[in-house]
Amino acid sequence: LSNAQDQLSELDSLHLALKNSPSDTLRMFALDGIASYYVESERDSAMYYCEASIEMAKKLNQSISLANFLLLKSYLVQKKLDFTQSYRLCNEALTILEDDSNDESAFIPKDWSIEPARLRKRYTANVFHQLGNTMVGAGNLQKAIEYFKKAVQVNEELEILNGGMTSNMNIGTSYYKLGQLDSALIYLQKAVNLANSSGWKKYLGSAFEDIGLVYIKKTELDSAKHYFDLALKANKEQNNLPSEISIRNTLADYYKQKNQVDSMYYFASTALQLGYKLNSDIPLSQSAERVAAAWERMGNADSAYAYLAISKKLGDSLSLDKSEKLLQFQNNNFEEQLRLEQEAQESEAAKNKITTTALLAGLGLLSILVFVFYRNNRQKKTANLVLEQAYSN
């Protein structure tokens, strides 16, 4: 209860700051704070406040802050499977952060105690992390790992206490999906250590869940259950709704494997209830499928069919939507690659043109020198002839 009160107090404080801040710049940070508060609980609200913070940053010419807000939007659209827009927003943010002239106009709250150049570098690490997220969504795990490792490297260079927690976690998750379980455990445990040492535990539950999934793969069910329980507790404490839905679905799978149907139904149905609260089709489809499986095991065919129909309808729509967006993303990447190749060819053609021009210029200069040398030689011969005639006379 006290944690919920603290969170309510945090949200109230942000709204109060938005209402009473003496400047648009401070209101801009309040908008971003509210967007960040909602990012894992009410994503439509998060997007609303994120868009407002972006518009305010543009109005105030706060480019470094704008880059950070664009990254938040990238995360939100990626969760809606819009990988193309997510990728573009990342690159837009990166372009801003690579321009050190933005340091001059940057407004940074005094209590942040950070220089603009260092803040740009921190946000650059966030760009690499979000590019990794986008690549995970698009199914390119190896590329995702490359981006996450870049994010970790930048954070370690900055010596940030909680730096790279989520990037290490996502590297571990990617290795788990690739079947590299030992590597997965190394990075996931590192993420847990960073969360505990820094006190920033928003995604600690996700790291615990993924460690549990690794132990499921290793058929060490008691160890898996231990981490699943830790994950559920952490996600409740952090009000991380998507992660709480995920662990409840995972626990439903766990109890299905143990053939404990009542527990399977409990976790699947509570996940479904939270899915409606989050208003996201992906967890709804996943949870409905598990509820259907539980009803089937309990011998209630009608309920099983009803929930399976819900899952299938949502799942088919999601599958089609994801396929279309993946194709769009791949086509855009292909077009981008063609554009880069064309630029390279144009650059090469320009080089060749310069080389040809230089060669022609050199030949022209040589021709002039030959002409001058020939003329001087003729003049010298004429002068010598004149002198010879003068002496002979």
Side-chain angles (χ1 to χ4, degrees):
L1 180 61
S2 62
N3 186 63
Q5 288 173 338
D6 288 343
Q7 289 173 337
L8 182 62
S9 174
E10 177 189 347
L11 185 59
D12 286 343
S13 297
L14 287 165
H15 277 291
L16 198 63
L18 180 61
K19 181 180 178 181
N20 298 329
S21 290
S23 70
D24 283 345
T25 310
L26 293 175
R27 277 190 284 276
M28 175 187 75
F29 286 110
L31 287 166
D32 176 54
I34 297 171
S36 298
Y37 177 88
Y38 281 128
V39 72
E40 298 298 1
S41 57
E42 298 178 31
R43 287 190 175 140
D44 289 342
S45 296
M47 180 63 83
Y48 172 82
Y49 286 102
C50 179
E51 292 280 18
S53 65
I54 287 171
E55 290 307 310
M56 188 73 80
K58 289 178 178 178
K59 173 186 171 184
L60 298 171
N61 193 31
Q62 289 297 310
S63 298
I64 294 177
S65 293
L66 173 61
N68 188 42
F69 306 154
L70 291 172
L71 282 179
L72 178 57
K73 183 176 179 180
S74 173
Y75 179 76
L76 292 169
V77 299
Q78 173 233 320
K79 289 299 181 182
K80 290 182 176 291
L81 308 180
D82 193 344
F83 308 119
T84 298
Q85 189 179 7
S86 177
Y87 186 76
R88 285 175 175 166
L89 288 164
C90 282
N91 282 287
E92 188 178 344
L94 188 59
T95 299
I96 293 170
L97 296 170
E98 287 174 342
D99 185 355
D100 59 9
S101 69
N102 290 320
D103 294 355
E104 297 175 11
S105 59
F107 175 88
I108 301 174
K110 290 181 180 178
D111 58 346
W112 286 22
S113 301
I114 188 170
E115 296 298 318
R118 182 176 171 84
L119 185 60
R120 277 192 299 107
K121 194 168 183 180
R122 284 187 65 171
Y123 289 163
T124 299
N126 294 345
V127 171
F128 291 139
H129 178 83
Q130 181 52 26
L131 282 168
N133 284 337
T134 303
M135 289 302 162
V136 168
N140 191 340
L141 292 177
Q142 292 292 357
K143 192 66 179 176
I145 289 171
E146 287 180 27
Y147 280 126
F148 289 135
K149 286 186 174 180
K150 282 184 179 181
V152 169
Q153 181 183 351
V154 175
N155 277 305
E156 288 179 348
E157 288 171 0
L158 291 169
E159 297 181 344
I160 299 171
L161 187 59
N162 70 334
M165 183 273 166
T166 51
S167 295
N168 278 291
M169 179 182 74
N170 290 356
I171 293 170
T173 305
S174 297
Y175 277 131
Y176 161 75
K177 291 176 179 177
L178 291 169
Q180 300 178 36
L181 302 185
D182 291 338
S183 295
L185 277 178
I186 290 170
Y187 283 97
L188 289 167
Q189 192 58 58
K190 186 176 178 182
V192 168
N193 294 341
L194 284 168
N196 285 328
S197 62
S198 68
W200 188 73
K201 300 181 179 182
K202 188 166 188 173
Y203 297 98
L204 177 60
S206 297
F208 281 144
E209 179 181 356
D210 288 344
I211 291 174
L213 288 171
V214 171
Y215 281 116
I216 287 287
K217 285 282 188 181
K218 287 175 171 282
T219 64
E220 298 178 29
L221 299 188
D222 289 342
S223 294
K225 179 61 165 51
H226 169 71
Y227 281 101
F228 291 156
D229 289 341
L230 290 176
L232 183 61
K233 181 174 182 289
N235 288 325
K236 285 180 178 178
E237 289 174 350
Q238 296 300 315
N239 191 33
N240 191 326
L241 197 56
S243 294
E244 186 177 348
I245 294 168
S246 178
I247 186 58
R248 286 181 180 276
N249 280 327
T250 294
L251 279 164
D253 292 340
Y254 173 83
Y255 283 112
K256 179 182 180 181
Q257 191 170 344
K258 300 278 284 185
N259 202 28
Q260 297 180 23
V261 183
D262 288 345
S263 295
M264 174 189 173
Y265 173 76
Y266 168 76
F267 283 106
S269 60
T270 53
L272 184 64
Q273 291 167 15
L274 292 174
Y276 282 115
K277 182 179 177 183
L278 185 63
N279 192 27
S280 176
D281 288 349
I282 297 173
L284 280 173
S285 174
Q286 294 169 342
S287 302
E289 181 182 7
R290 287 164 172 81
V291 172
W295 278 121
E296 183 182 11
R297 290 200 171 203
M298 289 187 286
N300 191 326
D302 291 341
S303 295
Y305 179 79
Y307 281 99
L308 191 61
I310 294 171
S311 175
K312 188 173 188 310
K313 181 180 178 181
L314 290 169
D316 288 348
S317 175
L318 281 166
S319 179
L320 179 61
D321 188 35
K322 185 169 184 178
S323 296
E324 289 175 349
K325 286 176 176 174
L326 276 173
L327 182 61
Q328 181 187 24
F329 178 68
Q330 290 161 358
N331 287 340
N332 284 334
N333 272 1
F334 179 69
E335 289 170 7
E336 178 69 7
Q337 189 62 35
L338 284 178
R339 184 184 67 78
L340 292 172
E341 287 177 4
Q342 184 177 357
E343 285 183 0
Q345 289 170 359
E346 288 172 355
S347 176
E348 189 64 30
K351 287 179 185 176
N352 291 338
K353 185 176 180 181
I354 291 169
T355 303
T356 303
T357 303
L359 180 61
L360 291 173
L363 288 172
L365 179 60
L366 181 60
S367 300
I368 292 169
L369 290 173
V370 168
F371 172 74
V372 170
F373 179 77
Y374 172 75
R375 187 187 65 182
N376 288 344
N377 193 45
R378 286 286 304 270
Q379 288 175 344
K380 186 177 179 182
K381 284 183 178 180
T382 302
N384 287 339
L385 184 60
V386 170
L387 285 172
E388 286 176 6
Q389 290 174 351
Y391 281 118
S392 61
N393 291 333

